[in-house]
C-alpha cells in the first residue's frame, strides 16, 4: 500500500477517535465512530488474503450493527426525552441499548464472538491497532454515560472476565490468545466503570501499555503460534527473557505493573459491598494466568524443533526501530512501585 494512502487512513483513525472523544452530541459521536471504522477497513484488507478479507467482512458487519444500534438508541432517547446530549441519557431503554451497542463494538462477552475470529485473520500490526486504538472511542462514550442501574455493567464485566479466561485455555494461536486476554481485561474495566470511572481510565491505560508490549515483541520475533515462540531465543535473547514478565504482568502477578489495576479494582468492589463479585473476578484471573504461564513456558523452557529441514534462525542484526518496544516493555514491568504517584495523578 502507498505510504500516502496509509498516512491518510491513519489520519482518518485519529480524526474519528478525536471526534468521538470530544463530542457531546450523539450524532457527532456516531459520525466519529463511523469514520474510525471506515478508516481501518482498508488497513485490515490490504494483504488480499482470503482470511484477511473474511476477517474484514466480519468486522465491518459487527461494527455496522453496533453503529446502527447506537443511532437507533440515541434517536429513541431524543424521541422520549427531547435530548441529544451524551450526558442526558436518563431513560433506561436507550441507556441499556447504547451500553449493549458499545459492548458489541469493543467485544465484551456475550457479544465477543467476532473478536478472536477477526484478530486471527489479521497481521500482527493491524491486530495491535484493533486491540488498542480501536478501544479508545467506545470507552470515551462509556466513560461519559451515567447509567442508573449498574447491574448490566457488572454482569457484562463478570461474564467477560470468565469467558476471556476460559476461551484462551485451549488456543495455540497467539492472536486468539491475545483476543481472549483483551476480552478479560475489558471485563475488569467495565466491572468498575460505574463505581470509579477514573480507575477504569487507569486500567485502560495500563492495558494499552501491556498489550502493545506483547504485540510489538511478537512482531519483532515474527511469531504467531505457541510453537514458534520456542525459536525466539535465537532471534532476540534479551527481549525473550523479558517477555514472560510482560505476560505475567498481563496476568496480574505482583510485583509487576499488571497487579496494580486488579488490586485497586478488587479493593473498590469490596468497598461497595460486592465481595462475591470481587471473588469471582479474582478467580477468573487465575484462568487467564494459566494461558500466560503456558506462553512463558513455551518461550523459556522448551527447545525449538531443530532438524535437517528446519534449523534455528541465526541471530541477525535487526533493522526494525525498537525504542517503542523497549519503552512499553519497561512500563509493563516496572510501574507498580509508582502506584501512589499514579493514584495522585488520576485523583483516585
Amino acid at each position: 500500500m502507498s505510504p500516502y494512502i496509509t498516512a491518510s487512513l491513519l489520519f482518518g483513525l485519529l480524526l474519528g477517535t478525536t471526534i468521538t472523544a470530544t463530542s457531546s452530541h450523539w450524532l457527532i459521536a456516531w459520525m466519529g465512530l463511523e469514520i474510525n471504522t471506515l478508516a481501518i477497513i482498508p488497513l485490515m484488507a490490504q494483504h488480499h488474503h482470503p482470511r484477511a478479507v473474511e476477517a474484514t467482512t466480519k468486522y465491518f458487519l459487527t461494527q455496522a450493527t453496533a453503529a446502527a444500534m447506537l443511532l437507533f438508541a440515541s434517536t429513541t432517547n431524543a424521541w422520549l426525552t427531547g435530548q441529544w446530549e451524551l450526558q442526558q441519557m436518563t431513560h433506561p431503554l436507550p441507556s441499556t441499548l447504547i451500553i449493549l451497542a458499545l459492548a458489541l463494538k469493543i467485544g465484551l462477552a456475550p457479544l465477543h464472538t467476532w473478536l478472536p475470529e477477526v484478530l486471527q485473520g489479521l497481521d500482527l500490526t493491524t491486530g495491535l491497532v484493533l486491540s488498542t486504538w480501536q478501544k479508545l472511542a467506545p470507552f470515551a462514550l462509556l466513560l461519559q454515560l451515567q447509567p442508573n442501574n449498574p447491574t448490566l455493567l457488572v454482569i457484562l464485566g463478570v461474564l467477560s472476565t470468565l469467558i476471556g479466561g476460559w476461551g484462551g485455555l485451549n488456543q495455540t494461536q497467539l492472536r486468539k490468545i491475545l483476543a481472549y486476554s483483551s476480552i478479560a481485561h475489558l471485563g475488569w474495566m467495565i466491572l468498575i466503570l460505574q463505581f470509579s470511572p477514573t480507575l477504569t481510565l487507569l486500567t485502560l491505560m495500563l492495558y494499552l501499555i501491556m498489550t502493545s508490549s506483547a504485540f510489538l515483541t511478537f512482531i519483532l520475533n515474527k511469531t504467531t503460534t505457541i510453537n514458534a515462540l520456542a525459536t525466539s531465543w535465537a532471534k532476540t535473547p534479551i527481549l525473550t527473557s523479558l517477555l514472560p514478565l510482560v505476560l505475567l504482568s498481563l496476568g496480574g502477578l505482583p510485583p509487576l505493573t499488571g497487579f496494580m489495576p486488579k488490586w485497586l479494582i478488587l479493593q473498590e468492589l469490596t468497598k461497595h459491598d460486592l465481595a462475591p463479585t470481587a471473588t469471582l473476578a479474582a478467580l477468573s484471573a487465575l484462568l487467564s494466568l494459566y494461558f500466560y504461564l503456558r506462553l512463558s513456558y513455551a518461550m523459556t523452557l522448551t527447545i525449538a524443533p531443530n532438524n535437517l529441514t528446519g534449523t534455528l534462525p541465526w541471530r541477525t542484526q535487526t533493522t526494525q526501530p525498537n525504542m517503542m518496544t523497549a519503552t512499553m516493555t519497561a512500563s509493563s514491568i516496572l510501574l507498580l512501585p509508582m502506584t501512589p504517584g499514579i493514584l495522585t495523578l488520576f485523583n483516585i
Side-chain angles (χ1 to χ4, degrees):
M1 189 182 280
S2 158
Y4 298 111
I5 295 172
T6 308
S8 304
L9 293 171
L10 291 174
F11 175 72
L13 276 179
L14 181 67
L15 179 70
T17 305
T18 310
I19 287 172
T20 302
T22 54
S23 65
S24 59
H25 193 285
W26 275 114
L27 272 181
I28 309 294
W30 171 80
M31 205 181 299
L33 289 171
E34 286 301 286
I35 292 169
N36 206 348
T37 305
L38 291 173
I40 201 174
I41 280 170
L43 290 172
M44 292 169 81
Q46 64 181 319
H47 295 295
H48 303 296
H49 189 272
R51 195 73 185 78
V53 174
E54 181 192 336
T56 310
T57 310
K58 285 176 178 173
Y59 181 76
F60 173 72
L61 291 172
T62 51
Q63 297 301 303
T65 307
M69 257 178 92
L70 192 123
L71 192 59
F72 171 71
S74 52
T75 312
T76 308
N77 184 62
W79 176 47
L80 291 169
T81 64
Q83 293 289 343
W84 279 100
E85 297 293 310
L86 260 71
Q87 314 289 346
Q88 302 294 333
M89 296 297 292
T90 50
H91 200 280
L93 175 64
S95 193
T96 306
L97 276 174
I98 278 182
I99 289 169
L100 290 173
L102 293 170
L104 177 59
K105 236 178 196 324
I106 56 177
L108 279 175
L111 308 163
H112 67 286
T113 44
W114 62 272
L115 185 57
E117 294 299 319
V118 168
L119 209 56
Q120 180 57 33
L122 305 177
D123 64 318
L124 286 165
T125 312
T126 320
L128 168 61
V129 175
L130 186 68
S131 299
T132 54
W133 185 262
Q134 290 300 91
K135 309 293 183 202
L136 295 179
F139 261 101
L141 295 178
L142 280 167
L143 285 165
Q144 291 181 69
L145 283 177
Q146 293 160 346
N148 305 318
N149 187 5
T151 314
L152 177 64
L153 290 174
V154 170
I155 289 168
L156 286 172
V158 169
L159 267 177
S160 297
T161 54
L162 286 169
I163 288 172
W166 266 318
L169 291 181
N170 205 25
Q171 302 295 337
T172 56
Q173 297 287 333
L174 293 180
R175 283 164 293 186
K176 280 198 174 180
I177 287 174
L178 285 167
Y180 281 109
S181 157
S182 173
I183 291 163
H185 278 90
L186 292 171
W188 280 89
M189 292 173 219
I190 291 296
L191 203 54
I192 203 66
L193 180 65
Q194 179 67 27
F195 309 110
S196 176
T198 45
L199 190 48
T200 297
L201 195 60
L202 172 63
T203 312
L204 178 62
M205 189 193 78
L206 294 174
Y207 158 77
L208 295 179
I209 290 170
M210 293 185 291
T211 305
S212 300
S213 176
F215 264 105
L216 289 167
T217 309
F218 294 148
I219 290 166
L220 199 66
N221 287 333
K222 297 182 175 61
T223 47
T224 54
T225 61
I226 291 182
N227 289 340
L229 280 177
T231 63
S232 301
W233 277 112
K235 297 174 186 172
T236 50
I238 295 172
L239 193 59
T240 303
S241 60
L242 289 174
L243 187 63
L245 292 175
V246 174
L247 292 169
L248 294 177
S249 183
L250 272 166
L253 276 192
L256 303 165
T257 303
F259 177 61
M260 187 205 305
K262 287 186 168 60
W263 166 36
L264 295 170
I265 287 169
L266 293 176
Q267 186 183 0
E268 195 69 31
L269 286 171
T270 314
K271 277 183 195 170
H272 287 90
D273 296 328
L274 286 169
T277 310
T279 310
L280 200 56
L283 289 172
S284 72
L286 294 174
L287 293 168
S288 298
L289 186 60
Y290 173 75
F291 60 75
Y292 295 127
L293 282 169
R294 259 182 84 201
L295 295 184
S296 304
Y297 171 78
M299 183 173 276
T300 54
L301 297 171
T302 55
I303 299 171
N306 189 7
N307 50 38
L308 290 173
T309 54
T311 55
L312 278 173
W314 287 98
R315 192 185 311 161
T316 53
Q317 190 66 36
T318 177
T319 55
Q320 204 166 331
N322 43 26
M323 185 63 197
M324 177 73 103
T325 313
T327 310
M328 292 295 180
T329 305
S331 304
S332 301
I333 298 169
L334 302 171
L335 286 184
L336 187 67
M338 295 169 65
T339 304
I342 292 169
L343 293 183
T344 309
L345 185 68
F346 279 83
N347 289 324
I348 295 173

